[in-house]
Amino acid sequence: MSSLRTLVFFATPPHHCSYLPDRQATTMFVDPRATIDKRLYSQLTALGFRRSGSHYYRPHCENCNACIPVRLKVEPFEPDRGQRRVMVRNEDLTCTLTPAAFTEDGYRLYARYIEQRHRDGDMYPPSREQFLSFLVEGATDSWFLEMRLDDRLVGLAAVDVLDDGLSAIYTVFDPDLEKRSLGTFAVLWQIEEARRRGLPHLYLGYWIRECRKMNYKTRFRPIEALKDGHWRPLKEA
């Protein structure tokens, strides 16, 4: 079994940055031959790593530290007025956790979301193989939050269970239901699920100050950032 001391890491050559178009990025990956159990995955996440399928990675850019790992402290969180409206707006949804697995309705929702909202991104065009490699493969205590409206799947959030929290991996939703703010609703649901399980954190991935698409993360408070190996309130980091 692998441990932090025995892990081997690899860095990619510089490549186009997906978030800041005028910059080059380098990514550090855990050796894909390593055996990553839940305990080690939790340790890696606390060190700023993320999971994409069976790959565990974090930014490792030489002249840029714009990508900041962030997590929410669950217990003291209280929704603001806008978040409370989102919760009320979606009271008619049925939400269930199912083991992360490929389904046709899940893939169709994913494909519509990518095609209509991320045609300019690295994930376009979508494919079944991409869905599997990104959201299903490498699953370790991994689940899909299914959001249904009258039995119709309208939202799907991939979430991992860690030793000290939940990790919000990715969320897709019906582009025609944008006014429901299903992305925000999925985060609110995961906060409550972490609280129900007695887990202290919800890991929200990376936050980049200059990236408008990530602004929503700072609306969940109290939010912490990983800086110089320590988690501290984002405003201090």
Side-chain angles (χ1 to χ4, degrees), residues 60 62 64 72 107 131 147 181 194:
H60 190 63
E62 183 175 354
C64 178
L72 178 78
Y107 171 69
F131 181 94
M147 295 163 267
S181 302

Side-chain angles (χ1 to χ4, degrees), residues 3 16 22 64 74 83 123 126 134-135 152 155 175 224 232 237:
S3 68
H16 173 73
D22 60 333
C64 178
V74 167
Q83 291 162 347
M123 299 168 67
F134 177 32
L135 298 178
R152 180 169 65 93
E224 296 180 320
R232 51 174 63 98

